[in-house]
Amino acid sequence: AGFFTGSGDGFTCVTTRCGSAYCWGRNDRGQLGDQRATDASPRRIAVGAAVTQGSLGARHACALRVDGVVVCWGGNDRAQAHSGGPNEPPIAPPGPIGVGAGVTRLESGPIHNCVILDDGRVQCWGDPIGLKLGWDSSAHIMPPVPADETGATFLTGAIDLGLSVHTSCALVAGGDLYCWGSLYRAPYFGSYGYPPGTFATDVISVNGGWTHLVADSIFGPIATQASDCGQCGIVHGYLEIFHPLAVASGAQLAPGQLTTCARVGGSLSCWGDNRHGQLGIGGPCVDDIIPNDDIDHPLCGAVTTTPQTVALPGPAVDVSAGYGHTCALVDDGRELVPYCFGEA
């Protein structure tokens, strides 16, 4: 049992030990796999076979089934849940995506997705803006295509993925992290990175939030891109390079929209924006509200750059940080129970 990776806006999905998928929360774009109303109770998703991996975008979700088929559902305005043009209607129930055979890894950004095939190649589909699909196109009709399809060097040997709203990154065997797309106003990288270029070395794992990336490296956890509300461990700004995070090496890192959480063993800590209580430490009682001039985001509330320990009724075995909420899967001694906090 475990959470879908990614940062759902007002909805959460899990897989059970038997491979069933359940989602709950917001359903204005078919995020719960049908056209019914928002539901606070977990709703089983008709994916057609057992699920091995799942991922959440802003208002869509995708799952990898045991038969190797990738299915997606929910918002499809940028072809993120199915091929099509801009402003397509939501996809519900889930529909298959025509990716190559032998998918080993699935990951979703807010409005695009990528998979790793068993030969180590990466395929992406969804919103193309910023070249984050790995090839030069402004069209919204996005069948999955190999990243860097038209470049001189094909991206191969990928073992992990991290996607943010403007960027895609692939970790290859040996620890090199390749990224492409717009690196969210980080001046060191200019406007767009294309084709994929080496972004960091000695990386062990990578994960993407809405506007930031986190990774575990042999030197410890690190974060980069936009730190609007302290989610990268600095108060405010845009990082040109990875910034060390004050959590132990080997942590499971879960970036949300403007927060980051880390699970080390059974202990969970979070930092960044707490205006909805998504840090799990109660109301706005950490620092003063930090003004934010970026029109893409609302004001940050009760920002902290220091990891705050979350009190849970048992050890955490998984964590997922969403748009304005966070969920932890807790072992209560009998079963694994999701506990969520933040925006209702």
Side-chain angles (χ1 to χ4, degrees):
F3 291 111
F4 280 35
T5 59
S7 308
D9 180 1
F11 75 111
T12 303
C13 297
V14 296
T15 57
T16 68
R17 288 189 178 95
C18 296
S20 297
Y22 287 83
C23 299
W24 64 93
R26 189 172 182 173
N27 198 37
D28 59 316
R29 294 292 186 275
Q31 298 95 313
L32 305 188
D34 54 38
Q35 300 291 349
R36 291 182 287 171
T38 292
D39 196 343
S41 299
R43 186 179 300 172
R44 187 170 181 173
I45 309 298
V47 294
V51 172
T52 61
Q53 296 176 32
S55 61
L56 302 182
R59 296 185 182 180
H60 78 283
C62 295
L64 173 62
R65 305 188 323 199
V66 292
D67 59 4
V69 175
V70 174
V71 296
C72 297
W73 63 95
N76 193 44
D77 56 318
R78 292 296 182 268
Q80 64 268 45
H82 200 268
S83 60
N87 303 314
E88 288 289 319
I91 301 298
I97 301 293
V99 297
V103 175
T104 62
R105 181 77 177 175
L106 164 69
E107 194 67 36
S108 296
I111 46 178
H112 77 296
N113 316 277
C114 294
V115 295
I116 300 175
L117 305 182
D118 56 11
D119 61 3
R121 290 183 298 121
V122 176
Q123 289 188 335
C124 302
W125 70 96
D127 178 69
I129 295 175
L131 305 178
K132 59 181 175 284
L133 299 185
W135 58 298
D136 189 2
S137 174
S138 60
H140 289 297
I141 300 175
M142 291 296 136
V145 296
D148 195 26
E149 183 183 49
T150 59
T153 304
F154 283 85
L155 179 66
T156 60
I159 58 174
D160 199 7
L161 294 167
L163 279 59
S164 66
V165 70
H166 298 294
T167 312
S168 301
C169 293
L171 174 64
V172 302
D176 288 344
L177 183 65
Y178 287 84
C179 296
W180 58 98
S182 170
L183 294 166
Y184 203 75
R185 291 167 43 173
Y188 179 79
F189 293 96
S191 57
Y192 295 132
Y194 174 80
T198 305
F199 191 33
T201 59
D202 302 314
V203 174
I204 299 169
S205 64
V206 62
N207 205 342
W210 281 65
T211 59
H212 68 298
L213 296 163
V214 294
D216 196 19
S217 73
I218 63 173
F219 305 107
I222 49 180
T224 192
Q225 291 193 257
S227 192
D228 309 56
C229 297
Q231 67 267 44
C232 292
I234 64 172
V235 173
H236 185 80
Y238 299 91
L239 298 174
E240 299 180 5
I241 58 175
F242 275 103
H243 178 77
L245 296 173
V247 291
S249 183
Q252 177 194 0
L253 297 169
Q257 186 215 16
L258 299 172
T259 60
T260 305
C261 294
R263 182 184 63 86
V264 181
S267 178
L268 179 66
S269 60
C270 300
W271 60 95
D273 175 37
N274 195 44
R275 70 187 183 278
H276 299 300
Q278 63 267 49
L279 298 187
I281 55 174
C285 56
V286 181
D287 287 327
D288 293 334
I289 290 177
I290 296 179
N292 189 330
D293 295 329
D294 191 334
I295 62 173
D296 292 337
H297 304 300
L299 292 178
C300 307
V303 168
T304 177
T305 58
T306 303
Q308 304 292 305
T309 301
V310 181
L312 295 170
V317 299
D318 198 6
V319 58
S320 175
Y323 186 91
H325 72 289
T326 305
C327 294
L329 200 60
V330 174
D331 186 351
D332 68 358
R334 296 174 299 173
E335 57 185 355
L336 301 181
V337 181
Y339 283 82
C340 299
F341 41 92
E343 186 176 23

